[in-house]
Amino acid sequence: MTDDSTIPQAPTVVSPWSIVLVDEVRMELPSNSPVVILREQDAPWRELSIPVGLAEGNYIAYGMKKIDTPSPLVHDLFLDILERHQVSIEAVRIVGVKGKLFIAELDTMGLKGRQVVQCRPSDAIALAVRTKMPIPVLVAEWVFVSVYKAGDKRGAGGTN
């Protein structure tokens, strides 16, 4: 028989990243800009609301619903170029928030190795929802902490 009190317990490790799902594109009145709702895949299921431009919100919504358009949208063109140059998007990361604007990165892999490209969250999300293979969308833990600490559980505002 062993005494459980003498067995050291592993420390709880908080991941610096949360995997999120692109949950929906929503119009929140009286604003005239849509917001993209990102929801954590696992507990505590926090949400992040990222305001985007009207065109970007439409691109994201079309991609989420797999709606075809008469001609390719700019994000479709960009994905085609990446594919032809053998570059894949490995992840989308929401890495920061400055004031009311969020900052994102595309983590890519190609013939020249791994490259990280800073971009608008709306562009990164639009690309992620339009690909054939799922691309993980990650939010830095400190982004959630800073947004929730500011008292705005839905997000920071601004247009990204």
Side-chain angles (χ1 to χ4, degrees):
M1 181 179 264
T2 62
D3 181 9
D4 287 341
S5 63
T6 60
I7 299 173
Q9 299 296 316
T12 303
V13 177
V14 176
S15 171
W17 299 100
S18 292
I19 298 173
V20 297
L21 304 171
V22 182
D23 193 48
E24 67 177 311
V25 178
R26 181 188 303 161
M27 285 293 283
E28 292 190 352
L29 300 175
S31 171
N32 58 359
S33 294
V35 292
V36 176
I37 308 297
L38 303 179
R39 187 180 321 272
E40 276 183 300
Q41 183 174 312
D42 298 314
W45 300 290
R46 295 170 291 187
E47 331 187 305
L48 198 60
S49 178
I50 300 180
V52 298
L54 189 56
E56 291 82 359
N58 283 334
Y59 293 158
I60 293 167
Y62 275 42
M64 290 175 68
K65 296 185 183 296
K66 308 295 184 215
I67 297 173
D68 288 329
T69 57
S71 60
L73 299 175
V74 67
H75 296 95
D76 298 316
L77 172 64
F78 189 69
L79 287 170
D80 189 36
I81 291 168
L82 289 176
E83 185 177 320
R84 289 174 189 226
H85 288 276
Q86 300 176 358
V87 175
S88 62
I89 300 173
E90 300 296 311
V92 167
R93 292 193 292 258
I94 309 300
V95 297
V97 59
K98 289 183 182 177
K100 295 183 179 263
L101 296 177
F102 289 91
I103 300 162
E105 294 176 344
L106 286 176
D107 188 350
T108 65
M109 180 67 79
L111 298 175
K112 292 186 176 183
R114 173 167 258 127
Q115 301 290 320
V116 176
V117 181
Q118 190 174 13
C119 62
R120 299 183 309 174
S122 58
D123 291 326
I125 293 166
L127 291 169
V129 299
R130 295 184 106 54
T131 59
K132 295 175 186 122
M133 295 295 294
I135 294 174
V137 179
L138 309 168
V139 175
E141 178 61 25
W142 85 268
V143 172
F144 273 122
V145 169
S146 64
V147 167
Y148 276 67
K149 186 181 279 188
D152 183 1
K153 74 173 194 162
R154 293 285 188 137
T159 301
N160 294 275

